[in-house]
Amino acid sequence: MFEHRPVPKVQHRRNKPKRGRHTAITDKCSNEVKRRVAALTIEGYIICEKCGCSVPKIRFERAHLINASQYGEGGQPWNIAILCGPKTETGTCHQWADETAEGNAWKLQKRAELIEYYTTGEGRIWWTE
């Protein structure tokens, strides 16, 4: 009577990306931040953008200047800084920046400097979206 044929699955994509994709630090952005930080030293080492150390106690971390929880984008190099980490270790620059009022003020100041660097300064030749 009736022949049973399988119904093909329709591929569906999300209309709006999940928040994690919006705040995730992209490879392109990460590479640009590493280039920017390495250019600060004569030797070309990556250093902490707050304290300037080249050998952290534990590791370096890429930190959002506007936190991911506040929807700070990870694809913009002016929103990412390299700091001593991890955030969970007391006394690191990443912990200081995220959990103190002084650190929060530093992040806003640093972000303003980086926006100027990428819009009217040297950084505009390195970063085009």
Side-chain angles (χ1 to χ4, degrees):
M1 253 174 92
F2 290 105
E3 185 180 328
H4 181 49
R5 287 186 247 152
V7 177
K9 288 235 178 201
V10 177
Q11 295 296 324
H12 178 72
R13 292 182 155 229
R14 291 181 62 86
N15 290 332
K16 186 175 181 183
K18 291 184 178 182
R19 185 173 89 171
R21 295 299 323 140
H22 180 78
T23 60
I25 299 172
T26 63
D27 289 340
K28 180 181 176 187
C29 178
S30 184
N31 291 337
E32 168 52 23
V33 170
K34 289 174 188 172
R35 185 216 54 83
R36 177 187 79 217
V37 173
L40 296 174
T41 64
I42 296 170
E43 300 85 10
Y45 294 124
I46 291 179
I47 59 170
C48 174
E49 291 188 74
K50 195 238 174 234
C51 70
C53 78
S54 61
V55 182
K57 291 179 187 172
I58 299 174
R59 65 176 178 263
F60 287 122
E61 289 188 334
R62 298 164 301 164
H64 286 82
L65 297 176
I66 293 181
N67 290 335
S69 62
Q70 303 301 315
Y71 222 55
E73 287 196 41
Q76 300 171 332
W78 51 87
N79 192 43
I80 307 297
I82 293 183
L83 300 175
C84 303
K87 178 184 173 179
T88 56
E89 185 76 22
T90 304
T92 63
C93 293
H94 194 170
Q95 183 266 337
W96 172 83
D98 280 354
E99 297 180 11
T100 65
E102 186 182 12
N104 199 22
W106 178 85
K107 288 194 307 184
L108 293 175
Q109 169 76 27
K110 183 68 175 175
R111 188 169 192 271
E113 289 172 16
L114 292 175
I115 287 173
E116 185 176 327
Y117 173 78
Y118 283 109
T119 55
T120 60
E122 286 181 35
R124 72 175 185 264
I125 63 171
W126 294 101
W127 185 260
T128 54
E129 290 190 66

